[in-house]
PDB file of all heavy atoms in Angstrom:
ATOM      1  N   PRO U 151     -18.741  -5.622 -23.195  1.00 96.00           N
ATOM      2  CA  PRO U 151     -18.850  -6.811 -22.334  1.00 96.00           C
ATOM      3  C   PRO U 151     -17.481  -7.331 -21.880  1.00 96.00           C
ATOM      4  O   PRO U 151     -17.309  -7.682 -20.705  1.00 96.00           O
ATOM      5  CB  PRO U 151     -19.551  -7.848 -23.217  1.00 96.00           C
ATOM      6  CG  PRO U 151     -20.224  -7.075 -24.285  1.00 96.00           C
ATOM      7  CD  PRO U 151     -19.413  -5.834 -24.480  1.00 96.00           C
ATOM      8  N   GLY U 152     -16.521  -7.354 -22.774  1.00 96.00           N
ATOM      9  CA  GLY U 152     -15.180  -7.805 -22.413  1.00 96.00           C
ATOM     10  C   GLY U 152     -14.516  -6.866 -21.433  1.00 96.00           C
ATOM     11  O   GLY U 152     -13.829  -7.302 -20.502  1.00 96.00           O
ATOM     12  N   PHE U 153     -14.727  -5.574 -21.617  1.00 95.00           N
ATOM     13  CA  PHE U 153     -14.175  -4.595 -20.684  1.00 95.00           C
ATOM     14  C   PHE U 153     -14.768  -4.812 -19.291  1.00 95.00           C
ATOM     15  O   PHE U 153     -14.046  -4.815 -18.294  1.00 95.00           O
ATOM     16  CB  PHE U 153     -14.449  -3.168 -21.173  1.00 95.00           C
ATOM     17  CG  PHE U 153     -13.851  -2.110 -20.303  1.00 95.00           C
ATOM     18  CD1 PHE U 153     -12.513  -1.792 -20.402  1.00 95.00           C
ATOM     19  CD2 PHE U 153     -14.626  -1.446 -19.365  1.00 95.00           C
ATOM     20  CE1 PHE U 153     -11.941  -0.815 -19.591  1.00 95.00           C
ATOM     21  CE2 PHE U 153     -14.071  -0.474 -18.551  1.00 95.00           C
ATOM     22  CZ  PHE U 153     -12.728  -0.159 -18.660  1.00 95.00           C
ATOM     23  N   ALA U 154     -16.080  -5.019 -19.229  1.00 96.00           N
ATOM     24  CA  ALA U 154     -16.736  -5.247 -17.934  1.00 96.00           C
ATOM     25  C   ALA U 154     -16.209  -6.514 -17.275  1.00 96.00           C
ATOM     26  O   ALA U 154     -15.978  -6.541 -16.062  1.00 96.00           O
ATOM     27  CB  ALA U 154     -18.251  -5.335 -18.122  1.00 96.00           C
ATOM     28  N   MET U 155     -15.977  -7.561 -18.075  1.00 96.00           N
ATOM     29  CA  MET U 155     -15.508  -8.825 -17.504  1.00 96.00           C
ATOM     30  C   MET U 155     -14.100  -8.715 -16.926  1.00 96.00           C
ATOM     31  O   MET U 155     -13.773  -9.420 -15.967  1.00 96.00           O
ATOM     32  CB  MET U 155     -15.549  -9.939 -18.543  1.00 96.00           C
ATOM     33  CG  MET U 155     -16.946 -10.426 -18.833  1.00 96.00           C
ATOM     34  SD  MET U 155     -16.964 -11.796 -19.992  1.00 96.00           S
ATOM     35  CE  MET U 155     -16.384 -13.117 -18.940  1.00 96.00           C
ATOM     36  N   SER U 156     -13.282  -7.861 -17.483  1.00 94.00           N
ATOM     37  CA  SER U 156     -11.936  -7.727 -16.929  1.00 94.00           C
ATOM     38  C   SER U 156     -11.837  -6.616 -15.889  1.00 94.00           C
ATOM     39  O   SER U 156     -10.918  -6.613 -15.079  1.00 94.00           O
ATOM     40  CB  SER U 156     -10.900  -7.516 -18.045  1.00 94.00           C
ATOM     41  OG  SER U 156     -11.214  -6.394 -18.819  1.00 94.00           O
ATOM     42  N   THR U 157     -12.808  -5.712 -15.866  1.00 94.00           N
ATOM     43  CA  THR U 157     -12.761  -4.591 -14.937  1.00 94.00           C
ATOM     44  C   THR U 157     -13.537  -4.842 -13.651  1.00 94.00           C
ATOM     45  O   THR U 157     -13.060  -4.502 -12.566  1.00 94.00           O
ATOM     46  CB  THR U 157     -13.289  -3.308 -15.618  1.00 94.00           C
ATOM     47  OG1 THR U 157     -12.511  -3.081 -16.802  1.00 94.00           O
ATOM     48  CG2 THR U 157     -13.174  -2.106 -14.717  1.00 94.00           C
ATOM     49  N   LEU U 158     -14.715  -5.433 -13.738  1.00 95.00           N
ATOM     50  CA  LEU U 158     -15.533  -5.652 -12.541  1.00 95.00           C
ATOM     51  C   LEU U 158     -14.789  -6.451 -11.472  1.00 95.00           C
ATOM     52  O   LEU U 158     -14.737  -6.015 -10.312  1.00 95.00           O
ATOM     53  CB  LEU U 158     -16.858  -6.336 -12.899  1.00 95.00           C
ATOM     54  CG  LEU U 158     -17.705  -6.741 -11.697  1.00 95.00           C
ATOM     55  CD1 LEU U 158     -18.188  -5.522 -10.929  1.00 95.00           C
ATOM     56  CD2 LEU U 158     -18.862  -7.614 -12.128  1.00 95.00           C
ATOM     57  N   PRO U 159     -14.181  -7.600 -11.796  1.00 96.00           N
ATOM     58  CA  PRO U 159     -13.442  -8.320 -10.753  1.00 96.00           C
ATOM     59  C   PRO U 159     -12.276  -7.502 -10.191  1.00 96.00           C
ATOM     60  O   PRO U 159     -11.954  -7.615  -9.008  1.00 96.00           O
ATOM     61  CB  PRO U 159     -12.928  -9.572 -11.466  1.00 96.00           C
ATOM     62  CG  PRO U 159     -13.820  -9.751 -12.639  1.00 96.00           C
ATOM     63  CD  PRO U 159     -14.214  -8.356 -13.047  1.00 96.00           C
ATOM     64  N   ALA U 160     -11.678  -6.656 -11.024  1.00 97.00           N
ATOM     65  CA  ALA U 160     -10.580  -5.815 -10.549  1.00 97.00           C
ATOM     66  C   ALA U 160     -11.085  -4.800  -9.530  1.00 97.00           C
ATOM     67  O   ALA U 160     -10.452  -4.588  -8.488  1.00 97.00           O
ATOM     68  CB  ALA U 160      -9.907  -5.102 -11.721  1.00 97.00           C
TER      69      ALA U 160
END
Side-chain angles (χ1 to χ4, degrees):
F153 183 80
M155 286 183 74
S156 57
T157 304
L158 174 66

